[in-house]
Amino acid sequence: MKIALMDSGTGLLAAAAVMRRLRPDADLVLSSDPDGMPWGPRTPDDVTAHALAVARSAAAHRPDALIVACNTASVHALPALRAELEPRVPVIGTVPAIKPAAAGGGPVAIWATPATTGSPYQRDLIERFGQGVEVTGVPCPGLADAVQAADEAAIDAAIAAAAQHTPRDVRSVVLGCTHYELVAERIRAALQQPAAPALVLHGSAEAVAAQALRRIGAEPAPAAAPTGALSVILSGRPAGLPAEALTFAEGRLLARGRTDIAPGTPDEGAPAADGVAAAARR
């Protein structure tokens, strides 16, 4: 089994790590576009062009399915990706988890990029799935870029700024950018109010990984032998995982083929993969 994932940058790590846990025996292909990111400020046609290039690089590895682990690409490029690749390669898009968040009751906050917050796409999702629930869109300028660069100070600053614009009584938060899932526990810590019920965070990684398996008629097999290989493509070039990716637990899990590292937790005692993680922490 071979599953490909695509994104502009490291946002695909969250879904890739879930897939590695669900199927340790699956080969994974990670295709991203560091030369062309960020995609958010680009026009829809430009996003589509970049997404198609990244998808073609992944499709050259003949995967059984392709996960579009990027909200921006899913909004603008999903029809074009499916038109080119399906039915040969099933394409699974990423949608912010507004429906399950609203089903749990409000108030709900949606953390997303400034381009997505207030967009017709997000407004439509709120109108369709957020009926009767108070939903607040919270733009998070700079957060995706900070996560991509693994800039600890910038991540903290962007989270703090977004937290100031988030209602204090929210019960759940939708992470509307795949990059945000890599710092989910830091977001939770910034928003959790003393004596309040535990804040619920809604990401998309679990859902898209499970959907990819369903589309190809496969079942989760977390006890399978960890034989799956990892291929990395950066703007069409074969490469290794970037140093920045290895600052996150999900990246380290993928680099080592391990499934015992919980997302969002430190793993400082483990040896660096190819010496890159150590360099990233300096």
Side-chain angles (χ1 to χ4, degrees):
M1 181 190 305
K2 183 180 292 184
I3 304 294
L5 300 97
M6 61 167 283
D7 185 18
S8 60
T10 57
L12 51 69
L13 293 176
V18 172
M19 184 60 73
R20 176 61 80 220
R21 287 189 174 88
L22 292 177
R23 291 301 301 245
D25 57 338
D27 294 341
L28 300 181
V29 179
L30 311 185
S31 183
S32 62
D33 185 30
D35 293 357
M37 71 171 307
W39 287 356
R42 295 182 178 276
T43 66
D45 287 346
D46 206 10
V47 169
T48 298
H50 279 260
L52 282 169
V54 171
R56 288 165 183 154
S57 294
H61 287 246
R62 303 178 66 85
D64 296 294
L66 172 67
I67 294 174
V68 184
C70 174
N71 294 88
T72 299
S74 296
V75 170
H76 298 302
L78 202 55
L81 293 170
R82 285 177 168 159
E84 177 159 326
L85 296 177
E86 291 188 340
R88 178 172 56 88
V89 180
V91 177
I92 296 89
T94 297
V95 177
I98 295 173
K99 184 176 182 179
V108 174
I110 305 173
W111 279 33
T113 63
T116 298
T117 302
S119 66
Y121 168 74
Q122 181 162 299
R123 287 198 303 271
D124 177 64
L125 289 176
I126 294 171
E127 290 173 2
R128 289 167 58 193
F129 301 122
Q131 294 292 332
V133 175
E134 181 182 347
V135 180
T136 301
V138 179
C140 305
L143 181 53
D145 292 339
V147 173
Q148 178 67 30
D151 185 328
E152 300 290 333
I155 290 171
D156 288 341
I159 289 175
Q164 290 181 347
H165 294 91
T166 303
R168 293 172 62 85
D169 61 344
V170 295
R171 295 176 55 184
S172 61
V173 176
V174 176
L175 303 178
C177 172
T178 54
H179 280 77
Y180 301 172
E181 296 190 50
L182 300 178
V183 291
E185 291 310 311
R186 293 163 78 165
I187 293 171
R188 187 195 306 277
L191 294 176
Q192 182 66 53
Q193 299 298 318
L199 187 71
V200 179
L201 300 183
H202 293 270
S204 58
E206 297 276 354
V208 296
Q211 177 66 3
L213 292 180
R214 284 193 292 268
R215 287 287 304 275
I216 63 175
E219 296 287 338
T227 55
L230 180 71
S231 300
V232 178
I233 310 165
L234 302 180
S235 296
R237 304 180 300 272
L241 279 171
E244 294 80 6
L246 296 176
T247 64
F248 301 104
E250 292 85 348
R252 297 193 296 273
L253 180 155
L254 293 165
R256 300 188 187 103
R258 289 174 56 184
T259 59
D260 60 339
I261 304 174
T265 59
D267 187 33
E268 299 299 332
D274 298 329
V276 181
R281 288 194 290 267
R282 287 198 290 267

